[in-house]
């Protein structure tokens, strides 16, 4: 209902994949949601991702989220040898610095140990998260109570790159100005610069 991912390219789109192997399903009846779209653009394999939110740690959607991340990790191991990016809304705050008030989130999703371990496992496999070094700060702000204006946000949008792609990263930034406009998304675009 609210899920959706896209890939837009100025250098062409080839070999489009809707979902990945063994991607978990959700719902009644269970369906593969629109949460992963892969395409090759100018020699780079791009995976646009929208990781399930999880809702609450005791909700079945949380188990779905962890299963989804585990299945993505398993599929992504086969992609490490080519220039590949795993980009999008990961719905995980990997560190306490990635949430405006970690105490407020202590009983919520996004900051639990299993979610953080699932996110970190990609780095254990050889993926490099390439935005944090160049683009500190939040990428998401709820519309509730002027959280954007008060910078009470979350950093949940990331780009994991395979080793060959990570070697070409020259910078990244969070386009906060785009988030400030009328009708803007609650996420700000995260831009990664490459020299390939």
């Amino acid at each position: 209902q609210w899920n959706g991912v896209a890939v837009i390219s100025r250098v062409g789109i080839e070999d489009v994949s809707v979902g990945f192997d063994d991607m978990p399903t959700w719902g009644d009846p269970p369906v593969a949601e629109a949460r992963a779209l892969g395409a090759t653009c100018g020699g780079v394999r791009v995976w646009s991702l929208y990781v399930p939110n999880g809702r609450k740690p005791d909700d079945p959607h949380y188990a779905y989220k962890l299963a989804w991340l585990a299945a993505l990790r398993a599929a992504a191991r086969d992609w490490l040898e080519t220039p590949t990016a795993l980009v999008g809304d990961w719905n995980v705050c990997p560190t306490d610095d990635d949430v405006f008030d970690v105490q407020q989130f202590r009983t919520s999703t996004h900051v639990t140990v299993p979610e953080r371990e699932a996110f970190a496992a990609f780095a254990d496999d050889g993926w490099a998260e390439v935005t944090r070094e160049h683009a500190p700060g939040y990428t998401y702000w709820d519309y509730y109570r002027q959280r954007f204006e008060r910078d009470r946000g979350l950093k949940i949008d990331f780009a994991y790159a395979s080793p060959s792609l990570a070697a070409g990263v020259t910078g990244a930034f969070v386009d906060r100005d785009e988030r400030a406009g009328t009708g803007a998304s609650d996420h700000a675009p995260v831009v990664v610069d490459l020299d390939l």
Side-chain angles (χ1 to χ4, degrees), residues 81-95:
E81 300 304 314
T82 58
T84 303
L86 310 177
V87 301
D89 179 356
W90 287 78
N91 270 319
V92 177
C93 297
T95 74

Side-chain angles (χ1 to χ4, degrees), residues 129-148:
E129 202 295 304
V130 296
T131 66
R132 185 177 300 281
E133 176 186 354
H134 304 286
Y138 304 132
T139 61
Y140 167 88
W141 297 263
D142 197 328
Y143 291 112
Y144 186 63
R145 294 187 182 168
Q146 295 182 311
R147 286 193 173 156
F148 178 68

Side-chain angles (χ1 to χ4, degrees), residues 141 143 148-149 175-189:
W141 297 263
Y143 291 112
F148 178 68
E149 292 80 359
D175 189 354
R176 289 176 56 103
D177 291 341
E178 186 68 27
R179 168 60 178 84
T182 302
S185 169
D186 47 9
H187 294 259

